[in-house]
Amino acid sequence: MAVSRRSGSRRSPSDVQAAWLRRGLDQPGGKLPLFDERGQRLKKATVDACLKAGWAERWFHNPLKPDWLVCRLTDAGRDALTAPTPAANETEDDARQGALI
């Protein structure tokens, strides 16, 4: 059975998505790049998944390149990057339980 992917429903971005989103952390307005570190255009599926999850949003329309999605990082995207992963929480819980024994 498929899980619905409404805005913010996915718990954390994939490694590729997180790498793209992280690049907006230090940019004015949270602007996300159109190209990866090697100068290759980002896969549309990566951008679309982040838009659908609410981690990024369309910023403005580029009249010179109407097919390019100019996006920026959202607050939900920042939260997704800084939220602890379940594995980290389990490790902390295991450490606490070990300390109690």
Side-chain angles (χ1 to χ4, degrees), residues 21-56:
L21 294 170
R22 264 189 231 102
R23 292 182 65 201
L25 289 172
D26 296 329
Q27 295 300 313
K31 183 183 182 299
L32 293 165
L34 299 171
F35 301 93
D36 66 15
E37 295 85 1
R38 296 175 290 149
Q40 301 299 308
R41 188 147 177 215
L42 285 163
K43 291 185 180 179
K44 187 172 180 346
T46 300
V47 175
D48 287 344
C50 290
L51 289 170
K52 188 173 183 178
W55 301 321

Short mmCIF file of all heavy atoms in Angstrom, two decimals, residues 21-56:
data_model
loop_
_atom_site.label_atom_id
_atom_site.label_comp_id
_atom_site.label_asym_id
_atom_site.label_seq_id
_atom_site.Cartn_x
_atom_site.Cartn_y
_atom_site.Cartn_z
N LEU A 21 19.38 20.72 -0.61
CA LEU A 21 18.77 21.66 0.34
C LEU A 21 19.82 22.37 1.18
O LEU A 21 19.70 23.56 1.46
CB LEU A 21 17.76 20.93 1.23
CG LEU A 21 16.53 20.37 0.54
CD1 LEU A 21 15.75 19.46 1.48
CD2 LEU A 21 15.64 21.47 -0.01
N ARG A 22 20.87 21.65 1.60
CA ARG A 22 21.93 22.25 2.42
C ARG A 22 22.61 23.42 1.71
O ARG A 22 23.07 24.36 2.34
CB ARG A 22 22.98 21.20 2.78
CG ARG A 22 22.74 20.59 4.12
CD ARG A 22 23.91 19.72 4.56
NE ARG A 22 23.34 18.45 4.96
CZ ARG A 22 23.34 17.33 4.26
NH1 ARG A 22 23.95 17.27 3.09
NH2 ARG A 22 22.77 16.25 4.71
N ARG A 23 22.65 23.36 0.39
CA ARG A 23 23.32 24.42 -0.37
C ARG A 23 22.56 25.74 -0.28
O ARG A 23 23.13 26.79 -0.57
CB ARG A 23 23.51 23.98 -1.81
CG ARG A 23 24.52 22.82 -1.89
CD ARG A 23 24.79 22.36 -3.28
NE ARG A 23 25.44 23.40 -4.06
CZ ARG A 23 25.42 23.43 -5.38
NH1 ARG A 23 24.80 22.49 -6.06
NH2 ARG A 23 26.02 24.40 -6.03
N GLY A 24 21.30 25.70 0.15
CA GLY A 24 20.53 26.93 0.32
C GLY A 24 20.67 27.55 1.69
O GLY A 24 20.24 28.69 1.90
N LEU A 25 21.28 26.84 2.63
CA LEU A 25 21.38 27.34 4.00
C LEU A 25 22.16 28.65 4.10
O LEU A 25 21.81 29.52 4.89
CB LEU A 25 22.02 26.29 4.91
CG LEU A 25 21.16 25.07 5.23
CD1 LEU A 25 21.98 24.03 5.98
CD2 LEU A 25 19.93 25.48 6.02
N ASP A 26 23.21 28.80 3.32
CA ASP A 26 24.07 29.98 3.41
C ASP A 26 23.80 31.00 2.31
O ASP A 26 24.54 31.97 2.20
CB ASP A 26 25.55 29.57 3.37
CG ASP A 26 25.93 28.71 4.56
OD1 ASP A 26 25.34 28.92 5.64
OD2 ASP A 26 26.80 27.85 4.41
N GLN A 27 22.77 30.78 1.51
CA GLN A 27 22.48 31.69 0.41
C GLN A 27 21.46 32.74 0.82
O GLN A 27 20.56 32.46 1.62
CB GLN A 27 21.95 30.91 -0.80
CG GLN A 27 22.97 29.96 -1.39
CD GLN A 27 24.21 30.69 -1.87
OE1 GLN A 27 24.12 31.71 -2.55
NE2 GLN A 27 25.36 30.19 -1.49
N PRO A 28 21.57 33.94 0.28
CA PRO A 28 20.57 34.98 0.59
C PRO A 28 19.17 34.50 0.21
O PRO A 28 18.96 34.00 -0.89
CB PRO A 28 20.99 36.16 -0.31
CG PRO A 28 22.43 35.91 -0.62
CD PRO A 28 22.61 34.42 -0.63
N GLY A 29 18.26 34.59 1.16
CA GLY A 29 16.88 34.17 0.92
C GLY A 29 16.71 32.66 0.83
O GLY A 29 15.63 32.18 0.51
N GLY A 30 17.77 31.90 1.05
CA GLY A 30 17.70 30.45 0.95
C GLY A 30 17.68 29.94 -0.48
O GLY A 30 17.23 28.84 -0.76
N LYS A 31 18.19 30.75 -1.43
CA LYS A 31 18.16 30.37 -2.84
C LYS A 31 18.86 29.04 -3.06
O LYS A 31 19.97 28.81 -2.59
CB LYS A 31 18.83 31.42 -3.71
CG LYS A 31 18.74 31.09 -5.19
CD LYS A 31 19.46 32.11 -6.03
CE LYS A 31 19.34 31.82 -7.51
NZ LYS A 31 19.90 30.53 -7.90
N LEU A 32 18.18 28.15 -3.77
CA LEU A 32 18.72 26.84 -4.08
C LEU A 32 19.30 26.85 -5.49
O LEU A 32 18.74 27.47 -6.39
CB LEU A 32 17.62 25.78 -3.96
CG LEU A 32 17.14 25.57 -2.53
CD1 LEU A 32 15.82 24.82 -2.50
CD2 LEU A 32 18.19 24.83 -1.73
N PRO A 33 20.43 26.16 -5.69
CA PRO A 33 21.10 26.19 -6.99
C PRO A 33 20.34 25.39 -8.04
O PRO A 33 19.60 24.46 -7.73
CB PRO A 33 22.45 25.55 -6.70
CG PRO A 33 22.20 24.65 -5.55
CD PRO A 33 21.14 25.34 -4.72
N LEU A 34 20.55 25.76 -9.29
CA LEU A 34 19.97 25.03 -10.41
C LEU A 34 20.88 23.90 -10.87
O LEU A 34 20.45 22.99 -11.56
CB LEU A 34 19.73 25.99 -11.59
CG LEU A 34 18.76 27.14 -11.31
CD1 LEU A 34 18.79 28.13 -12.47
CD2 LEU A 34 17.37 26.61 -11.09
N PHE A 35 22.16 23.97 -10.46
CA PHE A 35 23.17 23.01 -10.91
C PHE A 35 23.88 22.41 -9.71
O PHE A 35 24.00 23.04 -8.66
CB PHE A 35 24.19 23.71 -11.82
CG PHE A 35 23.55 24.33 -13.03
CD1 PHE A 35 23.14 25.64 -13.02
CD2 PHE A 35 23.34 23.57 -14.18
CE1 PHE A 35 22.53 26.21 -14.13
CE2 PHE A 35 22.73 24.12 -15.28
CZ PHE A 35 22.32 25.45 -15.27
N ASP A 36 24.39 21.19 -9.88
CA ASP A 36 25.11 20.54 -8.79
C ASP A 36 26.55 21.05 -8.74
O ASP A 36 26.94 21.93 -9.51
CB ASP A 36 25.04 19.01 -8.90
CG ASP A 36 25.75 18.45 -10.13
OD1 ASP A 36 26.56 19.16 -10.77
OD2 ASP A 36 25.52 17.27 -10.45
N GLU A 37 27.35 20.48 -7.84
CA GLU A 37 28.73 20.93 -7.64
C GLU A 37 29.61 20.70 -8.87
O GLU A 37 30.64 21.32 -9.02
CB GLU A 37 29.36 20.21 -6.43
CG GLU A 37 28.71 20.53 -5.11
CD GLU A 37 27.49 19.67 -4.81
OE1 GLU A 37 27.14 18.78 -5.62
OE2 GLU A 37 26.87 19.90 -3.77
N ARG A 38 29.20 19.79 -9.76
CA ARG A 38 29.96 19.50 -10.97
C ARG A 38 29.47 20.29 -12.18
O ARG A 38 29.91 20.06 -13.29
CB ARG A 38 29.90 18.00 -11.28
CG ARG A 38 30.59 17.15 -10.20
CD ARG A 38 30.42 15.69 -10.46
NE ARG A 38 29.00 15.36 -10.23
CZ ARG A 38 28.33 14.42 -10.86
NH1 ARG A 38 28.91 13.67 -11.76
NH2 ARG A 38 27.06 14.20 -10.59
N GLY A 39 28.51 21.20 -11.94
CA GLY A 39 27.99 22.02 -13.03
C GLY A 39 26.89 21.36 -13.84
O GLY A 39 26.48 21.88 -14.86
N GLN A 40 26.41 20.21 -13.38
CA GLN A 40 25.34 19.50 -14.07
C GLN A 40 24.00 19.97 -13.55
O GLN A 40 23.83 20.19 -12.35
CB GLN A 40 25.47 17.99 -13.87
CG GLN A 40 26.78 17.41 -14.36
CD GLN A 40 26.96 17.63 -15.85
OE1 GLN A 40 26.09 17.29 -16.64
NE2 GLN A 40 28.08 18.21 -16.23
N ARG A 41 23.04 20.08 -14.43
CA ARG A 41 21.69 20.50 -14.02
C ARG A 41 21.11 19.45 -13.09
O ARG A 41 21.27 18.25 -13.29
CB ARG A 41 20.81 20.65 -15.26
CG ARG A 41 19.49 21.25 -14.93
CD ARG A 41 18.99 22.11 -16.06
NE ARG A 41 17.68 22.61 -15.71
CZ ARG A 41 16.73 22.79 -16.56
NH1 ARG A 41 16.92 22.53 -17.83
NH2 ARG A 41 15.58 23.24 -16.16
N LEU A 42 20.45 19.91 -12.03
CA LEU A 42 19.83 18.99 -11.06
C LEU A 42 18.72 18.20 -11.73
O LEU A 42 18.04 18.70 -12.62
CB LEU A 42 19.25 19.77 -9.89
CG LEU A 42 20.28 20.30 -8.92
CD1 LEU A 42 19.68 21.38 -8.06
CD2 LEU A 42 20.81 19.18 -8.07
N LYS A 43 18.52 16.99 -11.26
CA LYS A 43 17.42 16.18 -11.78
C LYS A 43 16.09 16.78 -11.36
O LYS A 43 15.91 17.16 -10.20
CB LYS A 43 17.53 14.75 -11.27
CG LYS A 43 18.71 14.01 -11.85
CD LYS A 43 18.71 12.57 -11.42
CE LYS A 43 19.90 11.87 -12.04
NZ LYS A 43 19.98 10.47 -11.65
N LYS A 44 15.18 16.85 -12.28
CA LYS A 44 13.87 17.42 -12.02
C LYS A 44 13.16 16.65 -10.91
O LYS A 44 12.45 17.23 -10.09
CB LYS A 44 13.03 17.43 -13.30
CG LYS A 44 11.71 18.15 -13.15
CD LYS A 44 11.03 18.30 -14.49
CE LYS A 44 9.71 18.99 -14.48
NZ LYS A 44 9.00 19.22 -13.29
N ALA A 45 13.37 15.34 -10.85
CA ALA A 45 12.72 14.51 -9.83
C ALA A 45 13.15 14.94 -8.42
O ALA A 45 12.33 14.93 -7.49
CB ALA A 45 13.04 13.04 -10.06
N THR A 46 14.41 15.32 -8.26
CA THR A 46 14.90 15.78 -6.95
C THR A 46 14.20 17.06 -6.55
O THR A 46 13.71 17.20 -5.43
CB THR A 46 16.43 16.00 -7.00
OG1 THR A 46 17.07 14.77 -7.34
CG2 THR A 46 16.96 16.52 -5.68
N VAL A 47 14.15 18.01 -7.48
CA VAL A 47 13.50 19.29 -7.21
C VAL A 47 12.01 19.08 -6.93
O VAL A 47 11.48 19.61 -5.95
CB VAL A 47 13.72 20.26 -8.38
CG1 VAL A 47 12.96 21.56 -8.16
CG2 VAL A 47 15.21 20.54 -8.58
N ASP A 48 11.35 18.30 -7.78
CA ASP A 48 9.91 18.06 -7.61
C ASP A 48 9.60 17.41 -6.27
O ASP A 48 8.62 17.77 -5.61
CB ASP A 48 9.37 17.20 -8.75
CG ASP A 48 9.27 17.96 -10.07
OD1 ASP A 48 9.33 19.21 -10.05
OD2 ASP A 48 9.14 17.30 -11.12
N ALA A 49 10.42 16.43 -5.85
CA ALA A 49 10.19 15.75 -4.58
C ALA A 49 10.31 16.73 -3.41
O ALA A 49 9.52 16.68 -2.46
CB ALA A 49 11.16 14.58 -4.41
N CYS A 50 11.29 17.63 -3.47
CA CYS A 50 11.48 18.61 -2.40
C CYS A 50 10.34 19.63 -2.38
O CYS A 50 9.89 20.05 -1.31
CB CYS A 50 12.83 19.30 -2.55
SG CYS A 50 14.23 18.22 -2.19
N LEU A 51 9.87 20.01 -3.57
CA LEU A 51 8.72 20.92 -3.65
C LEU A 51 7.49 20.25 -3.05
O LEU A 51 6.76 20.85 -2.26
CB LEU A 51 8.46 21.33 -5.09
CG LEU A 51 9.48 22.27 -5.73
CD1 LEU A 51 9.23 22.38 -7.23
CD2 LEU A 51 9.43 23.63 -5.08
N LYS A 52 7.26 19.01 -3.43
CA LYS A 52 6.08 18.28 -2.96
C LYS A 52 6.10 18.07 -1.44
O LYS A 52 5.08 18.15 -0.77
CB LYS A 52 5.99 16.94 -3.68
CG LYS A 52 4.71 16.19 -3.42
CD LYS A 52 4.61 14.96 -4.30
CE LYS A 52 3.29 14.28 -4.07
NZ LYS A 52 3.13 13.11 -4.93
N ALA A 53 7.30 17.83 -0.90
CA ALA A 53 7.44 17.61 0.55
C ALA A 53 7.35 18.92 1.34
O ALA A 53 7.23 18.90 2.55
CB ALA A 53 8.76 16.91 0.85
N GLY A 54 7.45 20.05 0.64
CA GLY A 54 7.38 21.34 1.32
C GLY A 54 8.73 21.84 1.82
O GLY A 54 8.79 22.83 2.55
N TRP A 55 9.81 21.19 1.44
CA TRP A 55 11.15 21.59 1.88
C TRP A 55 11.70 22.74 1.04
O TRP A 55 12.62 23.42 1.45
CB TRP A 55 12.11 20.42 1.83
CG TRP A 55 11.69 19.28 2.67
CD1 TRP A 55 11.10 19.33 3.90
CD2 TRP A 55 11.82 17.89 2.36
NE1 TRP A 55 10.87 18.07 4.37
CE2 TRP A 55 11.30 17.16 3.44
CE3 TRP A 55 12.32 17.19 1.28
CZ2 TRP A 55 11.27 15.78 3.46
CZ3 TRP A 55 12.30 15.81 1.30
CH2 TRP A 55 11.77 15.12 2.39
N ALA A 56 11.15 22.91 -0.15
CA ALA A 56 11.54 23.99 -1.05
C ALA A 56 10.26 24.57 -1.65
O ALA A 56 9.22 23.91 -1.64
CB ALA A 56 12.46 23.47 -2.16
#
